[in-house]
Amino acid sequence: MVSKYLHGFYGFFTLSLAIFGILSITFSTVWKKNDILLNMTFSVGDLDFGLVMGIALLLTSCLSVGAIVQRNHILSGFVILNWRAEFHTLYANLQPSQRVTIQDMFSCCGYFNSTDLIVIGGNFCQNQTFANALNTTVLNNFCVSPITHFADVSLNDAFSTTYGFIAGIIGLFLSSLCVIKVRQEIERFKRIDVKRGGGGFV
């Protein structure tokens, strides 16, 4: 029979794949909430892709469970360039009230500078005179830096997590190959045993 250790590894990677699928579905669903920065960072298409990937991972884990309990084996097997310009377009498409929310959140005025897509109002950018007096050498005085930093951290975390899923997939694939090989060996010895009259090996 297949080694219990091999079964253990196979079960571990199957469970990991199921967890990865659940996480992908959960984050793809939760991040669809009405959050200005998340909505700018992750498009509906990105989140839909994460949802599809999560479902695919769950289905694969289910198939792997079916494979291990069957006698015969079954084998299943943004980069965003130019951050600042990319998010400038997204920022320009926001409602004025949403820009005010971001300005208050990050204590910044305007996008590239104090006159670029600025909305006067809120708690921080209360008038143009205040905005014009901001130190232009301090990058965080303008919204481009905090927005792109948030996007960079969020996307890196998302991509790193996705790459982590691949380790589970590879582990499941390798353990599947091991299970298949061991079962083939068992069947081969059984056939030899039958030919020898069923006496077994010494």
Side-chain angles (χ1 to χ4, degrees):
M1 62 179 294
V2 179
S3 165
K4 62 180 180 180
Y5 297 108
L6 183 55
H7 270 145
F9 280 114
Y10 190 90
F12 170 76
F13 287 117
T14 299
L15 179 61
S16 298
L17 209 63
I19 293 173
F20 295 158
I22 292 171
L23 287 175
S24 183
I25 291 173
T26 300
F27 284 121
S28 297
T29 303
V30 171
W31 285 352
K32 283 187 176 180
K33 65 181 180 179
N34 187 22
D35 184 292
I36 300 173
L37 290 174
L38 283 176
N39 296 157
M40 288 178 65
T41 304
F42 299 100
S43 69
V44 175
D46 296 333
L47 297 177
D48 287 343
F49 175 78
L51 186 62
V52 171
M53 182 179 68
I55 294 173
L57 291 174
L58 277 179
L59 288 176
T60 304
S61 66
C62 290
L63 287 174
S64 68
V65 170
I68 198 65
V69 298
Q70 289 188 10
R71 181 178 181 82
N72 296 321
H73 65 271
I74 299 175
L75 182 60
S76 344
F78 238 96
V79 177
I80 298 179
L81 301 177
N82 200 350
W83 287 97
R84 299 161 74 88
E86 178 78 19
F87 278 91
H88 183 270
T89 303
L90 295 172
Y91 192 73
N93 291 330
L94 293 178
Q95 296 296 322
S97 60
Q98 293 176 312
R99 289 187 218 161
V100 168
T101 299
I102 291 178
Q103 289 177 166
D104 287 344
M105 183 186 304
F106 294 122
S107 298
C108 58
C109 290
Y111 191 75
F112 284 122
N113 53 58
S114 60
T115 60
D116 182 34
L117 300 176
I118 189 174
V119 177
I120 300 300
N123 298 322
F124 190 72
C125 304
Q126 296 183 0
N127 55 70
Q128 189 64 54
T129 302
F130 171 80
N132 291 339
L134 292 174
N135 188 342
T136 57
T137 63
V138 179
L139 297 180
N140 285 338
N141 279 340
F142 311 108
C143 298
V144 57
S145 292
I147 287 175
T148 52
H149 174 71
F150 175 87
D152 184 51
V153 172
S154 300
L155 289 172
N156 279 338
D157 288 346
F159 290 155
S160 297
T161 302
T162 302
Y163 294 149
F165 293 169
I166 303 303
I169 295 173
I170 293 174
L172 178 60
F173 174 72
L174 293 177
S175 59
S176 297
L177 292 180
C178 291
V179 169
I180 291 169
K181 182 62 178 176
V182 170
R183 285 183 172 177
Q184 288 176 340
E185 290 295 316
I186 291 173
E187 290 300 319
R188 185 171 71 86
F189 283 117
K190 282 183 178 179
R191 288 195 295 269
I192 294 174
D193 189 35
V194 169
K195 290 180 180 178
R196 295 178 69 253
F201 291 95
V202 177

